[in-house]
Amino acid sequence: MQGVIDGVTYEIPTHVAVIMDGNGRWAKKHLMPRVMGHRQGGKALEQACEDIWHLGVKYFTVYAFSTENWKRSEEEVSGIMDILRKYLATAAERCNRENMRMRVIGDRHILAEDIQSEIHRVEEATKQNTGLQFTVAINYGGRDEIRRATAKIAKEVAEGKLDPNEINDQVIADHLDTWELPDPDLLIRTSGEERISNFLLWQLAYAEFYFTDVLWPDFKREHFIEAIRYYNKRERRFGGRK
Ligand code: FPP
């Protein structure tokens, strides 16, 4: 869909996904402990939800904690979990004020019980909201998601509910955590790394990728506009020819 930003007409990506990288480096740069970088990253995320909605984006998905992030120090992992707890405590109220729906993807079953129930509460409290469709990936890994989807499909086949000859792309997509979401049109990764690090492996098949050196806590509205400008220079062919 087209939208006007600061007087200029752009094609606005429907779904933007972000790998919020660089919190640790931001903290180091400011001579602070790593967890302060994540705290600042959490603040940047709240502002980003507002900014991206006003730019005309309908779906926004962010990578907050990967299946590999457990390997970090216990201090850092518990610091991130505490930021998440605080965020969830006020999320329902904030989302409802802005008509925003929040979902969580990833395998939540190994998260602390209180975090699981808070996630459930926020998802339920915001499910009627028709504004920004905001999704947070927590204990998420693209391969793990595909593994879990495969197990669900295998179970349905074994129970005689699904014919193996009927398994197509749509059936697989319908068993992923993102079954309710369209595929991302644009992936942004901050802080200079150019990898997808196991994020949305299936869903990013045709997305445009935008990489920037800006560290996530410093990422602002103007940087989203820069990414949308870049997106508008791409010619999307989805494997076909124009
Ligand atoms: C990557 O930066 C960032 C993370 C692993 C955590 C992201 C978490 C948040 C933004 C806050 C919590 C989320 C919510 C939903 C409130 P890094 O630590 O890898 O940075 P570095 O590469 O500079 O070390």
Side-chain angles (χ1 to χ4, degrees):
M1 224 183 61
Q2 291 201 322
V4 179
I5 300 172
D6 299 339
V8 183
T9 302
Y10 293 99
E11 184 62 33
I12 307 293
T14 303
H15 185 172
V16 174
V18 178
I19 300 178
M20 307 181 288
D21 200 4
N23 293 346
R25 273 162 285 172
W26 185 92
K28 194 170 177 199
K29 202 171 120 187
H30 293 84
L31 309 172
M32 290 175 178
R34 289 183 63 82
V35 73
M36 291 302 286
H38 296 311
R39 199 165 295 161
Q40 200 63 28
K43 282 190 196 155
L45 179 58
E46 284 182 35
Q47 186 60 43
C49 286
E50 249 182 67
D51 291 342
I52 206 154
W53 173 248
H54 290 119
L55 292 172
V57 172
K58 300 275 184 286
Y59 293 83
F60 182 42
T61 301
V62 298
Y63 208 1
F65 196 84
S66 76
T67 46
E68 288 73 36
N69 284 151
W70 298 105
K71 293 182 205 145
R72 297 190 176 200
S73 74
E74 134 96 85
E75 186 191 0
E76 185 170 355
V77 170
S78 65
I80 295 176
M81 292 300 155
D82 281 342
I83 293 168
L84 191 60
R85 269 191 189 90
K86 284 211 184 84
Y87 181 87
L88 288 166
T90 55
E93 191 189 308
R94 202 173 43 247
C95 288
N96 284 335
R97 205 166 46 227
E98 314 212 348
N99 192 24
M100 188 166 115
R101 179 170 181 179
M102 182 172 159
R103 295 176 175 88
V104 169
I105 57 169
D107 188 355
R108 65 183 68 174
H109 297 105
I110 62 163
L111 300 174
E113 296 273 342
D114 66 309
I115 294 185
Q116 286 186 50
S117 60
E118 277 295 280
I119 290 172
H120 181 70
R121 188 179 67 81
V122 176
E123 284 181 330
E124 284 298 309
T126 65
K127 70 179 179 197
Q128 74 291 348
N129 292 346
T130 54
L132 185 70
Q133 302 293 295
F134 174 49
T135 302
V136 187
I138 304 171
N139 189 32
Y140 176 88
R143 288 186 174 180
D144 184 63
E145 180 191 33
I146 293 169
R147 177 191 63 75
R148 288 184 285 106
T150 307
K152 281 186 241 166
I153 291 171
K155 188 161 179 277
E156 287 175 32
V157 169
E159 289 169 348
K161 291 181 186 150
L162 182 64
D163 176 350
N165 295 311
E166 283 170 9
I167 300 172
N168 55 24
D169 286 8
Q170 193 56 51
V171 169
I172 295 172
D174 288 345
H175 287 78
L176 295 171
D177 298 348
T178 51
W179 62 279
E180 290 180 296
L181 313 176
D183 285 345
D185 304 289
L186 173 65
L187 171 79
I188 298 172
R189 183 170 187 154
T190 58
S191 92
E193 309 295 343
E194 303 192 356
R195 299 185 284 277
I196 62 172
S197 300
N198 205 11
F199 192 40
L200 304 175
L201 294 181
W202 173 276
Q203 299 87 338
L204 290 171
Y206 294 104
E208 298 294 337
F209 286 20
Y210 176 76
F211 300 109
T212 171
D213 287 338
V214 177
L215 305 174
W216 172 251
D218 292 329
F219 197 88
K220 306 227 154 37
R221 178 181 184 271
E222 70 207 66
H223 304 112
F224 275 124
I225 297 174
E226 203 49 58
I228 291 172
R229 230 179 251 138
Y230 170 86
Y231 176 79
N232 274 255
K233 289 197 206 121
R234 318 308 306 166
E235 187 191 345
R236 303 190 76 201
R237 289 201 294 256
F238 299 95
R241 289 184 65 87
K242 275 237 167 102

